[in-house]
Amino acid sequence: MKKILAIIGARPQFIKHAPLEKELKKEFEIFSIHTGQHYDNEMSNVFFNELGINRPLYNLEVGSHSHGIQTGKMMIELEEIILKEKPDAVLVYGDTNSTLAGALVAAKMNVPVIHIEAGLRSFNKEMPEELNRIITDHISEILFVPTQKAVTNLENEGITKNVFLVGDVMCDILLWVVENVNFDTPENGFYYATIHRPYNTDNPDRLLSILTEFNKLGLKVVFSLHPRTRELLKKAGLKVNHFSNIEFIKPASYIENVKYLKQCSALLTDSGGMQKEAYILKKKCITLRSETEWEETLEGNWNSLVFNNLSEIGTKLKIIPDKHNSTIYGTGKASSEICNILCSLIK
Ligand code: UD1
């Protein structure tokens, strides 16, 4: 049996790995390395328990550092493990520092890199994720792409070999959970919010403006507090009880998160994955960014970008969305398709 080593380390990667690991273990020896980029119980452990993911074979426990130190520490450890384990391929997900570290080390050791969620672009190189994506795509040997737009992005950069449009693995798990978990969830008259991107959190004035705007909205805001945002609120001296219209909660588990999404009246976010999840669940989304990698969500006004003029949040929330394409991110079979393709390429 061929051996695939998956590199995971940040919250969305545990979610993406769950449906794919389930498929791959039927045909491959699949094991994972947790880089330790995310380490709090609710940012890591919770997902392994809830989604039934196998325990990683190694946990590098790298923790939080500047980009260079974090990526470098991961690379040093990963090189040793790849030398020892001799995998036939290394699998990386998305666009985090864990993705970049895994891809760089494997490619330099001539181990084929498989990139899941390849081809996405925000065209904003100030986002660390954009650099991680571009580099990872250019050194990957097999690229699994969620949307037609992503195929075009890769073509524009001259990447056409071994590019497979399979849909989105996050859609696989979302559809599975919606079908199999009994959600007793009528809409409940609140907005659900998650904000963690550095350009929204790291400048205290910006963070304060966002919270002030949320505090003025006509419905209560349930704000799931990413540790990055929690830290920055603390640093900026902003107390959660200053905002009477906002209920701050700790980061939700995957199933809790889907429940909040199903119950809310709309989502306020700067996350990539959640824009898609809101779209699939037919929830209006306001994205606090000036661009998105998931442009399909903008069609039919399901998603609206708001960045400089935060007072637009209220007006954009009132726009009623229309045309919806329920299969734009796939039909829940991306993982099995990826497994079939890998069987033909590396078995
Ligand atoms: C990372 C990814 C981002 C992804 C996000 C998902 C990069 C460059 N960014 O951003 O693409 O959308 O994960 O959540 O890889 N912290 C904790 N506990 C944890 C993890 C982090 O307290 O378990 C705090 C630390 O203060 C840390 C900060 O959060 O410095 C930022 O964590 P980091 O992993 O560097 O970036 P994220 O903002 O989580």
Side-chain angles (χ1 to χ4, degrees):
M1 232 183 201
K2 295 279 170 140
K3 186 164 167 180
I4 298 180
L5 188 163
I7 315 283
I8 51 181
R11 177 168 63 175
Q13 289 163 338
F14 311 135
I15 298 165
K16 291 167 196 175
H17 186 55
L20 193 52
E21 181 190 72
K22 212 161 108 216
E23 289 299 326
L24 291 179
K25 69 185 173 196
K26 298 177 192 161
E27 304 287 347
F28 296 92
E29 189 188 337
I30 166 96
F31 68 97
S32 66
I33 300 181
H34 188 323
T35 62
Q37 178 170 349
H38 286 173
Y39 44 85
D40 284 349
N41 184 51
E42 64 265 25
M43 295 295 285
S44 172
N45 228 352
V46 151
F47 299 94
F48 287 85
N49 298 337
E50 191 175 67
L51 302 176
I53 308 165
N54 283 350
R55 289 285 142 192
L57 199 57
Y58 299 85
N59 188 328
L60 311 183
E61 295 182 359
V62 160
S64 302
H65 301 278
S66 66
H67 288 264
I69 294 176
Q70 189 177 56
T71 313
K73 277 178 172 259
M74 290 175 193
M75 289 179 70
I76 292 167
E77 306 250 354
L78 286 171
E79 188 171 59
E80 244 178 66
I81 298 173
I82 292 176
L83 263 177
K84 181 166 162 235
E85 297 290 343
K86 301 188 176 37
D88 296 289
V90 163
L91 180 71
V92 295
Y93 295 92
D95 54 21
T96 72
N97 290 345
S98 300
T99 316
L100 177 67
L104 258 180
V105 171
K108 280 181 174 269
M109 296 172 85
N110 292 320
V111 178
V113 176
I114 305 164
H115 188 200
I116 309 291
E117 213 182 69
L120 297 183
R121 296 290 180 268
S122 66
F123 302 102
N124 174 1
K125 285 197 181 147
E126 280 176 26
M127 289 176 73
E129 293 82 2
E130 184 73 353
L131 302 177
N132 293 345
R133 287 181 196 122
I134 294 173
I135 299 165
T136 302
D137 283 341
H138 281 261
I139 58 179
S140 291
E141 205 143 298
I142 306 173
L143 300 93
F144 290 105
V145 172
T147 60
Q148 184 53 51
K149 176 86 183 67
V151 175
T152 310
N153 290 338
L154 290 175
E155 274 168 12
N156 291 342
E157 292 173 26
I159 304 173
T160 52
K161 194 175 158 224
N162 282 343
V163 172
F164 300 95
L165 174 59
V166 289
D168 179 31
V169 290
M170 281 185 108
C171 180
D172 292 4
I173 183 145
L174 180 62
L175 296 182
W176 189 90
V177 165
V178 168
E179 265 168 41
N180 291 281
V181 177
N182 188 13
F183 290 104
D184 183 15
T185 52
E187 252 193 38
N188 208 0
F190 67 90
Y191 298 129
Y192 186 38
T194 70
I195 299 289
H196 75 280
R197 297 271 169 212
Y199 46 67
N200 282 328
T201 57
D202 292 14
N203 174 343
D205 293 337
R206 169 82 185 165
L207 187 54
L208 179 60
S209 310
I210 292 173
L211 295 175
T212 305
E213 214 49 51
F214 286 0
N215 209 35
K216 286 192 226 157
L217 296 176
L219 294 177
K220 180 176 88 170
V221 175
V222 175
F223 193 120
S224 167
L225 209 44
H226 185 288
R228 172 182 207 100
T229 318
R230 186 189 61 211
E231 286 295 306
L232 287 146
L233 272 175
K234 212 158 74 189
K235 254 200 217 151
L238 298 171
K239 296 248 163 37
V240 292
N241 55 9
H242 283 172
F243 306 95
S244 58
N245 193 41
I246 307 178
E247 179 188 337
F248 292 92
I249 59 169
K250 66 178 180 44
S253 74
Y254 184 70
I255 290 174
E256 280 166 358
N257 193 54
V258 175
K259 193 171 166 187
Y260 279 116
L261 272 169
K262 281 180 71 78
Q263 280 185 331
C264 71
S265 300
L267 174 71
L268 313 168
T269 195
D270 57 11
S271 150
M274 291 202 36
Q275 294 172 53
K276 255 180 321 185
E277 288 167 341
Y279 184 85
I280 295 166
L281 296 175
K282 290 195 172 173
K283 291 289 171 172
K284 172 91 193 166
C285 176
I286 305 291
T287 298
L288 276 76
R289 292 176 48 183
S290 46
E291 76 289 302
T292 176
E293 306 79 25
W294 303 101
E295 283 186 355
E296 307 76 20
T297 58
L298 301 174
E299 279 160 35
N301 286 311
W302 289 94
N303 189 9
S304 306
L305 300 173
V306 174
F307 194 67
N308 289 325
N309 187 358
L310 292 171
S311 64
E312 284 177 4
I313 294 175
T315 43
K316 294 266 165 94
L317 275 170
K318 291 199 185 102
I319 301 174
I320 298 169
D322 45 47
K323 203 172 59 138
H324 185 270
N325 180 345
S326 60
T327 56
I328 194 91
Y329 295 118
T331 54
K333 298 194 171 61
S335 304
S336 63
E337 217 173 303
I338 291 172
C339 184
N340 289 339
I341 294 168
L342 288 179
C343 281
S344 67
L345 290 178
I346 58 174
K347 254 195 136 174

